[in-house]
Amino acid sequence: MKRILASALALALTSAFFVSAEAQPVPGRGMGWGGGGMMMNNPGRGRFPIIDTDDNGVISAEEAASAAEEVFAAMDADDNGELTMEEYMTVRMGPQDGWNKARQEAREKQKADRFGTLDADKNGTVSQAEFIAGAKAHFAAADADKDGSVTPWEWRSQQWN
């Protein structure tokens, strides 16, 4: 039970790095970067400090890989080492306040399309290896200067694309 709760919390706090481009409230930390409400609904700020577990101001490859493993474990509801489309789509995308239904629908379509991209062997499921490979590619794309870490500036640039 502790693993399920810990995984669910990790998913809720880190999924934006891999599947969402909008910041959401972070429980216990207020809204957006550093707890200030003014950052709400701006891309990329809310989860950066959570993935940056050593609080040094950058996300290392190790921190990103650990976050990806936690997200996968939380998404894999039946704990079989593979994600179905249903498991993948269950993770919430962006604020669900109903402000812009057309945008929400477009984001859900983008998310479904990403599932197809992650499913490299096209067998209808995403294995942990496929998910990690996708997260690694996302991290590499965010690491604009190729120094092995992602700064807040690189993070925001990746989230806005």
Side-chain angles (χ1 to χ4, degrees):
M1 184 65 160
K2 284 184 180 180
R3 179 182 179 263
I4 292 170
L5 292 175
S7 295
L9 179 59
L11 172 63
L13 300 177
T14 63
S15 64
F17 189 67
F18 304 103
V19 298
S20 177
E22 292 191 23
Q24 299 177 30
V26 177
R29 288 189 142 178
M31 307 294 237
W33 188 292
M38 295 178 58
M39 302 282 184
M40 184 176 167
N41 293 328
N42 288 324
R45 289 163 177 84
R47 290 181 182 83
F48 186 98
I50 294 164
I51 298 170
D52 177 22
T53 57
D54 63 6
D55 294 323
N56 69 346
V58 296
I59 296 174
S60 69
E62 173 57 37
E63 289 167 324
S66 292
E69 287 176 338
E70 291 172 4
V71 169
F72 183 88
M75 292 174 100
D76 186 11
D78 59 8
D79 203 26
N80 70 348
E82 295 183 329
L83 300 177
T84 63
M85 175 70 89
E86 182 181 0
E87 287 172 321
Y88 184 76
M89 294 301 290
T90 298
V91 175
R92 187 168 70 99
M93 291 284 294
Q96 300 297 305
D97 300 328
W99 295 339
N100 187 337
K101 295 287 186 197
R103 183 164 191 273
Q104 287 178 5
E105 290 172 12
R107 302 282 298 150
E108 287 296 313
K109 172 151 181 10
Q110 290 171 342
K111 184 177 175 185
D113 291 346
R114 277 193 302 276
F115 181 87
T117 301
L118 288 172
D119 182 13
D121 63 8
K122 305 303 178 202
N123 69 347
T125 62
V126 174
S127 69
Q128 185 174 11
E130 289 170 323
F131 188 85
I132 296 298
K136 183 178 180 182
H138 190 80
F139 178 83
D143 183 13
D145 62 6
K146 305 303 178 208
D147 68 350
S149 63
V150 175
T151 67
W153 291 107
E154 290 170 323
W155 170 271
R156 287 180 178 96
S157 294
Q158 180 66 20
Q159 300 301 308
W160 290 336
N161 289 328

